[in-house]
């Protein structure tokens, strides 16, 4: 609660009671404490688990052959949303996730700034405004203990944590404590770490792995404490499955022989499985493959052996991460906290495409100059600390089955990701699939409502940027509850999309050309779940309506409404089917 504000405290208490009533707990859990002495706050713990670069079909509960039993159990105890949209790249998604606003509105249209230009008040400033409270700040003020573990990537690169140069660091954005890494990726065996407002030495313990480390710390944060009745908010942002794909060899070996069939065969198998479990409609077709992606049958024997091992390493990395999530769940069950813990598990964007047709082997974001035979001779180094690898791009196409394209693209392959929400005390139809549309901006308002809190309209005399998201809490209880939204606009690096109910318009932009000349495509995602068929020529009037709607939404949420991608991304992003073009290495890469 905000100190010295009894009216606000009373309203917060009413909201909290309403939330408890929704959960079937009743308001007596709060009022009874006055007669029975100190009692644990009955609001639920909240655990947000963010996976990185994990595609729509990469989890067992969404049709994958990758073994994720702990995540699958969360799905059986909760609900899966099959129409959840991210922002197609990590930082904008995380900005929307934590603030409930569109990333352009909070000046995070793309990755954080290398160095902030104080005169830049546009969408591309690369720094969160002070008057855009995060969900951590909202919950912290309402009495939650707030912990962050894992990837941050929401602060300008030149901030070092020192006084005056840490405004965007986690502790200044609502987290009581934070342990993880600052930029877009880190080595899983030798991570570059921050704790609180300082950098700390890289761990040197034998057998160290970052995913294990942050899970240990999350478990410690959830230890019941006799003198601390406050509920916990845990933000657990794993490095997996972002490159470098690094995991002990036993996890890789568990997938020996699985991926030698190739990426086209894997897409077909996953789609069939997805249809059987109902995560996609029975009439779903595979969207067209990217023309520049190589066919498996055209690879040499050495390439097939190496590329299969790349994917086995990625799969093992996810299974290892799932094992860590299972440890946290087991702890919550053992301590009686599981039933009244709300889990939200999602991926920040579609599968990674940046490694091109050869993959990254030794180093990230650097051209792979090794021949297939040279990589084959060093195959056992994949997944170890000797390599910082990423799988070849066509595996990303399989990871986002049944969609087209991948991370950073405006098609559903870049945007649509898994979402699992579990709250055993509230959800009565565990294992169900929710088909309501959800956008990343809707998560934070949902968590605020669950926590009996709300985003302020004004704080310390300063107006807050309005929250764009809407709570999806009713959909946890009912498969027939209306979706929180039917309209959502998208823009990233000059490429655009607009959703209106079942309709989705998508435009790809060639940098440096007139935006008016962009070619738009139109998809009916109710009849065509995967965006396989362009209907622009059949429904020109509808497409024109969607274009006008895009401009209305963009002018509402973005200043300016549309702009070319920042110069620093133009050398490495190609939104066409020209040959691979590797850009400069950058530790801030998404």
């Amino acid at each position: 609660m905000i100190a010295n504000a009894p009216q606000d405290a009373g309203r917060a208490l009413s909201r909290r009671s309403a939330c408890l009533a929704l959960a079937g707990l009743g308001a007596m859990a709060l009022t009874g404490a006055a007669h029975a002495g100190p009692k644990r706050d009955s609001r639920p713990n909240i655990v947000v688990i963010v996976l990185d670069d994990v595609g729509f079909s990469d989890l067992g509960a969404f049709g994958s052959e990758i073994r994720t039993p702990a995540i699958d159990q969360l799905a059986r105890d909760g609900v899966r949303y099959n129409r959840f949209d991210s922002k197609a790249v990590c930082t904008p998604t995380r900005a929307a996730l934590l603030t409930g606003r569109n990333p352009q509105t909070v000046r995070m249209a793309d990755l954080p700034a290398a160095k902030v230009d104080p005169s830049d008040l546009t969408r591309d400033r690369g720094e969160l405004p002070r008057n855009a409270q995060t969900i951590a700040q909202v919950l912290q003020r309402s009495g939650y203990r707030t912990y962050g573990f894992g990837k941050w990537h929401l602060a300008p690169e030149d901030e070092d944590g020192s006084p005056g140069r840490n405004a965007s660091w986690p502790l200044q954005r609502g987290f009581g404590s934070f342990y993880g890494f600052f930029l877009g990726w880190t080595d899983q065996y030798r991570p570059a770490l921050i704790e609180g407002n300082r950098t700390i030495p890289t761990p040197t313990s034998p057998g160290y792995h970052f995913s294990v480390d942050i899970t240990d710390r999350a478990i410690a944060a959830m230890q019941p404490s006799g003198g601390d009745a406050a509920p916990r908010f845990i933000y657990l942002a794993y490095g997996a499955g972002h490159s470098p794909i690094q995991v002990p060899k036993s996890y890789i070996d568990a997938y020996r022989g699985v991926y030698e069939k190739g990426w086209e065969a894997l897409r077909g198998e996953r789609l069939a499985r997805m249809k059987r479990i109902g995560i996609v409609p029975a009439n779903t077709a595979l969207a067209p493959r990217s023309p520049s992606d190589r066919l498996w049958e055209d690879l040499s024997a050495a390439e097939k052996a190496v590329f299969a091992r790349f994917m086995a390493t990625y799969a093992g990395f996810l299974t290892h991460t799932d094992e860590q999530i299972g440890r946290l769940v087991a702890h919550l069950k053992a301590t009686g906290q599981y039933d009244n813990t709300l889990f939200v598990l999602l991926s920040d964007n579609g599968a990674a495409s940046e490694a091109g047709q050869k993959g990254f082997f030794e180093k990230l974001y650097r051209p792979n100059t090794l021949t297939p035979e040279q990589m084959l001779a060093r195959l056992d180094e994949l997944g170890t600390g000797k390599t910082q690898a990423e799988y070849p791009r066509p595996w990303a196409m399989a990871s986002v089955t049944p969609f087209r394209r991948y991370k950073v693209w405006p098609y559903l392959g870049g945007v649509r990701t898994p979402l699992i929400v579990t709250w055993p005390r509230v959800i009565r139809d565990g294992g169900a699939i929710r088909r309501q549309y959800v956008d990343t901006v809707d998560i934070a308002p949902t968590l605020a409502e669950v926590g009996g809190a709300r985003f302020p309209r004004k704080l310390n005399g300063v107006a807050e940027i309005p929250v764009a998201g809407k709570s999806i809490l009713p959909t946890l209880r009912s498969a027939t509850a209306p979706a929180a939204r039917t309209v959502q606009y998208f823009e990233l690096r000059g490429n655009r999309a607009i959703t209106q109910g079942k309709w989705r318009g998508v435009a790809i932009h060639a940098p440096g050309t007139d935006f008016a000349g962009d070619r738009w495509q139109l998809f009916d995602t109710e009849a065509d779940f995967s965006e396989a068929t362009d209907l622009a020529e059949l429904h020109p009037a509808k497409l024109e309506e969607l274009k006008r709607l895009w401009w209305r939404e963009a002018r509402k949420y973005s200043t300016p409404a549309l702009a070319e991608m920042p110069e620093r991304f133009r050398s490495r992003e190609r939104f066409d089917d020209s040959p691979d073009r590797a850009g400069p290495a950058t530790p801030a890469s998404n």
Side-chain angles (χ1 to χ4, degrees), residues 63-259:
S64 181
E65 76 294 333
I66 298 175
R67 292 182 284 280
T68 55
I71 293 173
D72 298 349
Q73 185 61 58
L74 287 176
R76 285 192 293 271
D77 291 343
V79 292
R80 288 163 287 170
Y81 289 82
N82 70 351
R83 295 178 184 270
F84 169 70
D85 282 357
S86 72
K87 304 304 176 184
V89 73
C90 62
T91 294
T93 295
R94 290 159 201 263
L97 173 67
L98 290 176
T99 70
R101 287 95 165 173
N102 287 293
Q104 293 83 0
T105 307
V106 292
R107 303 172 188 165
M108 279 290 193
D110 213 301
L111 304 187
K115 183 177 182 180
V116 171
D117 175 359
S119 67
D120 185 359
L121 300 180
T122 73
R123 35 169 266 154
D124 289 315
R125 179 184 175 97
E127 179 186 41
L128 292 175
R130 305 288 180 87
N131 62 334
Q133 295 283 287
T134 70
I135 185 59
Q137 289 170 299
V138 169
L139 292 175
Q140 187 179 58
R141 286 199 313 275
S142 74
Y144 271 75
R145 301 284 182 266
T146 55
Y147 303 86
F149 305 104
K151 176 175 172 175
W152 185 238
H153 211 203
L154 284 168
E157 294 175 35
D158 64 336
E159 288 193 356
D160 63 7
S162 62
R165 298 182 64 190
N166 61 13
S168 297
W169 280 50
L171 266 58
Q172 284 62 246
R173 304 303 307 199
F175 288 96
S177 65
F178 184 89
Y179 177 91
F181 60 97
F182 183 69
L183 296 176
W185 63 272
T186 195
D187 192 287
Q188 297 293 295
Y189 298 120
R190 300 178 297 271
L193 295 177
I194 64 173
E195 185 170 20
N197 283 328
R198 63 191 180 96
T199 58
I200 61 174
T202 296
T204 58
S205 303
Y208 175 91
H209 195 284
F210 180 72
S211 297
V212 177
D213 187 4
I214 60 172
T215 305
D216 288 343
R217 292 170 185 270
I219 290 171
M222 296 297 291
Q223 291 286 359
S225 175
D228 185 2
R232 268 57 172 167
F233 169 61
I234 304 287
Y235 178 68
L236 186 55
Y238 286 98
H242 194 291
S243 52
I245 47 176
Q246 294 173 319
V247 69
K249 185 173 182 292
S250 61
Y251 293 87
I252 305 170
D253 289 344
Y255 289 95
R256 190 180 298 275
V258 173
Y259 297 110

Side-chain angles (χ1 to χ4, degrees), residues 466-525:
V467 170
K470 304 293 184 184
S471 173
I472 64 168
L473 193 55
T475 68
L476 297 188
R477 297 293 298 269
S478 173
T480 60
R485 69 181 54 255
T486 57
V487 171
Q488 179 61 41
Y489 101 106
F490 172 92
E491 188 274 334
L492 178 66
R493 300 180 185 175
N495 296 323
R496 292 175 278 171
I498 182 73
T499 295
Q500 182 193 52
K502 70 176 186 175
W503 294 103
R504 196 163 189 272
V506 178
I508 303 297
H509 176 67
T513 65
D514 189 342
F515 283 104
D518 291 353
R519 174 176 174 261
W520 282 80
Q521 294 170 279
L522 177 67
F523 303 101
D524 176 353
T525 60

Side-chain angles (χ1 to χ4, degrees), residues 9 87 105 221 267 269 278 325 342 433 556:
K87 304 304 176 184
T105 307
R267 284 186 88 203
E269 290 179 1
I325 294 169
L342 172 75
I433 297 169
K556 184 190 308 182

